Amino acid sequence: MRKKKGTSEDRGENSSATNNAKKRRIAGRQAKESAPEETNESVFGVFVREAGVTLKHGATPNEIAVDLVVFQKRIQKQLQKSPRFPSIMQEFVTGLEAFVESPEQFRNCLLPCVPQFPDGESSSSFSSFQESLLRMLLGVEMLQTLIIKTLLEKLPEYLFDGGNDDIPRMIIKQLKWLDRVVDPKELAAKLMELVSVAPVEVQRDIITSLPEILEDSQHSDVARQLNSLLQENTQLTVPILDALSSLNLSSSLLSEVRGAVMARMAAVQLEDLPVVVKFILHSVSVSDVYEVVCNLRKQLELEQCVLPLVLQVSQSHIKSKGASESRPASKAAASSSQDSVMLVMDCIKSAVRFQKTISEAWLKAIESVDEVKNHKVMDLLVLLILHSANANQSRRGAERVLKAKVRTGLIQEPLLQKTFMDYSEVMRGYFPSTLALAQSLLRSPDPCVVPFGGHIYRHSFNSFDSYCHQEVVGSLVTHVCSGMGGEVDVALDLLCGLVTEKPSEMAMYAVFVKGILDYMDNLSPQQIRKLFHLLGRLAFGQQQQGSHIQDDIHIVIRKQLSSTVAKYKRIGIIGAVMVVGSLGALRPEGKETQNGSLSQNAFRQVIGLLELVKSSSESSPEAAALYYDELANLILSVTLDPQVQEMIGKSVLDDFQEDFIVDLGPEVTGSFPFPARVMYNLEEKESQEGIAVNLLPLLAQELQNKGEQQNQNKNKKRTSPLCLSPFFRLLRLCEEKQHNGDLEEIDGLLGCPLISTDLDVLEKVDSLSKAEREFLCTLLFHTINWFREVVCAFCQQKETEMKMKVMTRLQNITHLQTLLERALAGTHGYIPPVANFDGESTDTFIVPSTAPVNKTKKGKKRKAPSKNSSESGSQAEEATEADETQQEPPEKDKDKETRPGVSLSSYRPFFRELDMEVLSVLKCGLLSRSLLDTELHTKVREDILLGPAELVFLLEDMLRKLEFSLTVAPAKRAPFLKGKTDKSVGFSHLQQRTPQDIAFYCVQLMPTLCSHLENCHNHFQTLLSENRGVVDGPATDVQEHHLMTSAYQLLLQVLNATFSWSGFTQSGQRNLLKKALRVLAERLKEGSSELSLEQLVKHSFEYLLNFRSTVPSLCTALCLAQLLSTVSEKGGNSASYREQTASLACRFLNQSWVTANGERERGNKFNEVLHTLLSIYLEHVDDVLKAVEQIVKEGMSELVSASKDESSTSWPTLSRQTFLVFYKVLMAELEKAVRKIPAGKMDDNTEVQSEKLMTWNMAVRDFHIMINQVKLFDSRPVLNVCLKYGRLFLESFLKLGMPLLDYSFKHHKEDVQGLLKTFQLCTRQLHHMCGHSKIQQDTSLTNHVPALKKSLELFVYRVKAMLTLNNCQEAFWMGNLKNRTLKGEEILSQRSQQSVEDDDDHEEEEQQSSPKAEEEMEDEQSDSEGNNKINGAKPMDPDDLSDDSE
């Protein structure tokens, strides 16, 4: 290789010499004339020419005739052989400087040389690319420093030279990628000096070239200078970060630079932001990734980047003449900002995709935000990025965090809306992930997160293009077809909303929506209403963009109506009525209307559909009743065309009179199961001259028709009492629409009587046959439902007479309900007539057994069989039922008055639904029996007062409505193979309203509710004063006391349900919340209109706190405590009310609760309430450990010395019947409290260690006392609680307490030793419980044993590790602990029975004291009875720790 290279070099020299000789010969005289110039030629020119480069003048590039290496060697050789070496080098550089004085020649020296081919040489022997002359000279090490100096001195000459502005860049280019830099430190210093004076463009070139110029040794110094420069000049952000990314820096320096960059991020221009983010994320290390990401999230303010540009766009639209010119520029600016944000997101995406730690850090950073205002648009965008990453773990993590944030209300819809509005282009890039997240949220079993998925769908449709529209509609249709309840509801609501907002866009996808018709089997009636409303708007709307699906809808409806299956006929009826609503709706004047009225074609379609439905449902009373109900809902919710409305109203009025109303004659003729009588007449005229509802004859006729049904034509019209209430509702709504709310035409129906029978027959119900009892029950159900509809119809009438009649009808309802309870008690297996006809199936209601409850035994609790209400709201019915069980009078005294009945709570599906407007009756005052006198009809009745029974009736209904519409029930999966119960039965009218409407209505009623609450308070205050503070005094009316207690409790529950509405957290409902709080605050202090939310909460809390002195039962007390807790959370500082809430709960716990009968409250319901109240007390008290110790030391010690039926003196609610409740709550809260104790750290100072040790000492002391209670109360439930929470406490001690002992043992030796001694007593008792559980062979107890024993064994070894860490391992003993029962009796195993005498001397190993604070631990895991002593210094045999008792 060397020889070949040398030959080539010689050949190059010879060829060069020959070429020069030829030139001199050919030139002749010209050469001689130039001889004088050559004699004056500089050393630079001579050496360069002789080395093989021909210098040119002008724009002609220099020529090179040899290879680069040959040239450099010749230059170096010439310099070294010169007699003037080393001064010759300076002469050479001086000649170079003189040569490059001319800009053109300087440029030539900076540009690549052109190869000069000798004669006969091919171009293949030369490289296609040649370096510049200066670049080749820089490769000569002895000249490098001088030439660099020359170049850098020349560079400032061209900094501001417009004609040669590219020369500085060319100079910098010469310095890149040199094989070796002779003086890198000097070069770095000069380059940085140049940076300080050069223009911005040259600065950028120099800075970005630094990593290619400098050696690694200079990287750190240059990085520090660049860091300083970055803080001074933000224009150089991008080049500096590019350079820093390529420099080899230490982690500490990189962290310093990154911190400086982060601090200056607010001043960075938007277009530079992607580079900044990329540098920060790509320079992060595993150890500080979380901190860096948190700081980046904090500093990255995307909102500030986009907002000014959006304002520019809006301003440009305002301008009139200049709008056309400014609009493109502003739009381009807005688009540029979106592009920059998109690039930032791409940088984050690349970082999280290739570095798992960064994706985890982003998730943690977003999770750590704990306030709504601190969440940014950035969080949502990053979650989309994480979801779009390839890793499944990242995708699942993004879904989990988003669901958690939405569930807790930290990420709300306004933030989502802002993200879509300001960053639609960015969001469009992540549309697949956006759609997937929306699908996941909508399918979630948690109802709290489902609406947020709907918001994502809606904003995606509004913000994106037609492709996304199609995907959104297709996905929503898929949700509807899934059949999952909440998912279907939200998807249908979204589709209906989109059709309303964007009908023309949605019309393109009408075929998609029509496909849902194939999946109607899985939809509920309410969902079918929404579906046909949606399809009707698309096909028959004003613009009829989706008219191509009209025929398909008609075909489906006719097919369903002709079906003999009740389910499909119901779908057909609902669909037909909804289509009538779309066809017959009142429309503004336009192409399809004639003088503002409906077109003849549309009118004929409406008439045809209505007649078709009517004829299809005549043969089935259930179908006819459903048709009336659906038509009534349509008239209520849709403004129909006047001619359609008039046609329906006239037909309904005529048919109702013909079917259900009869004129009263002298007597009612006919054969009936019971004697017919005219009942409940409120009219002043004689009963012989009026009208009556023909109820009993119709019911008897229907009973007869059922027997003859097989012989009759099924298509024959049948008038059934089942249709009475639905038909009247339809009639009433038609009259209201036609006469603007005036019901004068039908007001006679409010007071008109019913043809019924004398209900005194219920006194001898046991003597009736089963058919007669069932007939009587059916009659009562129809009568009650008629009165419920009458009350709904006339509740808003203003005349006094009408109000009085409505109040009387309410009294009729409450009285009839008590009679019905008795009738049902003696009618086993009876199924009432259907009252709500849009249920899933009218035959699938499970009616509980109607056997008499509490007939022979007293004191047992009636358990409500209803499962319709949520757990938190079940107190509504239980208020009545629980109190009844605790206040039952002696059977001998009141056997007839309190005939056993059943609870009607399970029969609610068979009662007609009351409208929300009925609650306006609550505005009447409260009339308690203490105010009654013999002149009731003259004086008091003029005030139209509400009785306690009617108040309870209305409040129960109101509470059920609020729980259904405002309270979000916890998500529960339906059990496998278990029939689902439709909880919406009886709330179909309520479902037509939004939660916002219901909350607004409740706030409107709040002054009335407060008045009733104050009346209840005054009633019990008066009662206590009359009885001198005794609840069960002689002046107490038991029945009234029971009703007023129920009313008191229900009022508190209604207020709590209202304030618990999650919608109050939305910004749009803030004013409504303030209005509700203002009502409470003004009851205490007038002039609260200008108070802040926090002040309103304070006054409301004080107002409600005043009721604490008169609560009549523990259940009512709990309701008050829960209401106070709910109200306190509405302010910004709920912690300030914790002490008052705890004090209130403590007061209730320290009170003795007695019923009106004088008996102490007890029973399962009482225990449940006590459990909740005690939990509230311990959750709100400042020091849980101190409170637990107080209850244990005072209450439980007093209970031990008390007699069997007595309770604790200081804690009257603590008795032997409630001991388990107290024990369970105390153990649970104790374990929860120790989990909150911070773990011990090595860097804790002595004071902190001492404080934590004191806390643990108190906790262990409390735990020891609680464990010892098992010796006195050793029932199975108590043992179960002890084993469960004992293990959890032990695990918390191992995780949090033992690290503290590790670090504090040396400084607090005695405290640690005392703590372990106490805890050892606890673990020994737990060990005895394990043995006791095995002896008893109780699986509920033994299930806890393995995990507990494992924790006990871990405790032994953990203590040994602690002693070893503190050099006290020789102080550790381990011995075999004998198995004993709870009473201390030894449990003998087979092996131990053989050596029982020997074991007497070695029962347990005692602790040995030592100057080194020796600590002995017994092996609490071993069940063997050997007497082995295991010293910590010796190896331990695993067999000694075996469990051989099993």
Side-chain angles (χ1 to χ4, degrees), residues 1079-1231:
V1079 171
L1080 301 184
E1082 288 181 346
R1083 311 291 292 196
L1084 182 69
K1085 181 180 180 182
E1086 294 184 359
S1088 303
S1089 56
E1090 302 299 327
L1091 296 179
S1092 65
L1093 179 64
E1094 186 60 43
Q1095 291 172 322
L1096 289 173
V1097 170
K1098 179 182 177 182
H1099 291 313
S1100 302
F1101 191 91
E1102 292 174 358
Y1103 167 71
L1104 294 171
L1105 202 59
N1106 291 331
F1107 294 97
R1108 65 186 182 274
S1109 59
T1110 58
V1111 285
S1113 66
L1114 184 66
C1115 196
T1116 313
L1118 172 63
C1119 294
L1120 178 60
Q1122 289 174 331
L1123 174 58
L1124 286 167
S1125 179
T1126 302
V1127 170
S1128 66
E1129 291 170 0
K1130 299 304 173 186
N1133 186 20
S1134 59
S1136 59
Y1137 302 97
R1138 290 177 60 85
E1139 183 179 351
Q1140 289 175 284
T1141 306
S1143 175
L1144 179 70
C1146 183
R1147 169 182 177 150
F1148 292 148
L1149 292 170
N1150 290 333
Q1151 186 173 338
S1152 180
W1153 299 97
V1154 181
T1155 67
N1157 295 329
E1159 299 177 357
R1160 184 184 298 274
E1161 286 193 39
R1162 62 183 64 194
N1164 291 336
K1165 176 60 184 173
F1166 178 78
N1167 290 346
E1168 291 173 10
V1169 173
L1170 182 61
H1171 184 285
T1172 309
L1173 191 61
L1174 184 56
S1175 300
I1176 290 176
Y1177 168 62
L1178 293 175
E1179 286 169 4
H1180 288 80
V1181 75
D1182 289 336
D1183 192 343
V1184 179
L1185 300 178
K1186 187 176 180 181
V1188 170
E1189 186 172 14
Q1190 181 183 6
I1191 295 175
V1192 171
K1193 283 190 174 180
E1194 294 179 2
M1196 292 190 175
S1197 59
E1198 293 171 354
L1199 182 63
V1200 172
S1201 58
S1203 61
K1204 182 178 180 181
D1205 295 330
E1206 292 182 357
S1207 60
S1208 167
T1209 307
S1210 54
W1211 297 85
T1213 50
L1214 175 58
S1215 63
R1216 295 183 185 275
Q1217 290 76 26
T1218 61
F1219 174 80
L1220 177 62
V1221 177
F1222 271 81
Y1223 193 80
K1224 185 174 184 178
V1225 175
L1226 292 176
M1227 286 291 279
E1229 294 298 328
L1230 179 62
E1231 188 272 330

Side-chain angles (χ1 to χ4, degrees), residues 195 199-211 226 229-230 233-247 272 275-276 279:
V195 168
V200 174
E201 293 300 324
V202 178
Q203 285 179 322
R204 289 174 177 167
D205 290 333
I206 296 175
I207 291 171
T208 52
S209 303
L210 286 175
L226 289 177
L229 183 62
L230 178 65
N233 191 352
T234 56
Q235 291 180 316
L236 300 176
T237 300
V238 174
I240 289 176
L241 293 183
D242 279 342
L244 290 172
S245 300
S246 303
L247 295 178
D272 296 341
V275 180
V276 175
F279 169 77

Side-chain angles (χ1 to χ4, degrees), residues 644-691:
V644 177
Q645 183 73 57
E646 184 180 357
M647 182 270 298
I648 295 175
K650 187 175 184 303
S651 171
V652 167
L653 182 58
D654 295 341
D655 290 347
F656 186 81
Q657 290 179 350
E658 179 184 349
D659 292 344
F660 299 105
I661 302 300
V662 294
D663 294 325
L664 286 178
E667 59 183 20
V668 182
T669 59
S671 176
F672 311 118
F674 294 97
R677 285 190 58 183
V678 178
M679 304 285 292
Y680 309 109
N681 187 10
L682 301 183
E683 300 296 337
E684 296 179 358
K685 301 177 182 179
E686 295 296 327
S687 59
Q688 287 82 5
E689 299 179 3
I691 59 172

Side-chain angles (χ1 to χ4, degrees), residues 239-278:
I240 289 176
L241 293 183
D242 279 342
L244 290 172
S245 300
S246 303
L247 295 178
N248 185 16
L249 306 179
S250 64
S251 58
S252 59
L253 180 58
L254 194 62
S255 177
E256 180 184 344
V257 173
R258 189 172 55 241
V261 171
M262 202 100 67
R264 299 285 297 173
M265 188 176 291
V268 174
Q269 295 182 359
L270 181 59
E271 57 269 18
D272 296 341
L273 205 55
V275 180
V276 175
V277 173
K278 182 179 180 181

Side-chain angles (χ1 to χ4, degrees), residues 729-740:
R729 174 176 169 79
L730 173 60
L731 172 64
R732 181 260 296 192
L733 290 172
C734 287
E735 290 294 320
E736 280 186 353
K737 279 285 185 181
Q738 289 180 299
H739 301 95
N740 297 321

Side-chain angles (χ1 to χ4, degrees), residues 77-130:
K77 189 175 180 181
Q78 289 173 343
L79 291 172
Q80 289 176 341
K81 287 186 177 181
S82 173
R84 298 198 303 276
F85 183 80
S87 60
I88 189 67
M89 293 188 296
Q90 185 60 48
E91 294 179 24
F92 181 88
V93 173
T94 303
L96 170 64
E97 293 174 351
F99 182 77
V100 298
E101 282 295 329
S102 168
E104 291 183 354
Q105 292 179 356
F106 188 32
R107 182 185 296 276
N108 279 347
C109 293
L110 293 172
L111 290 173
C113 296
V114 176
Q116 183 181 15
F117 305 114
D119 295 341
E121 291 285 343
S122 64
S123 60
S124 60
S125 60
F126 288 88
S127 172
S128 61
F129 174 77
Q130 298 294 330

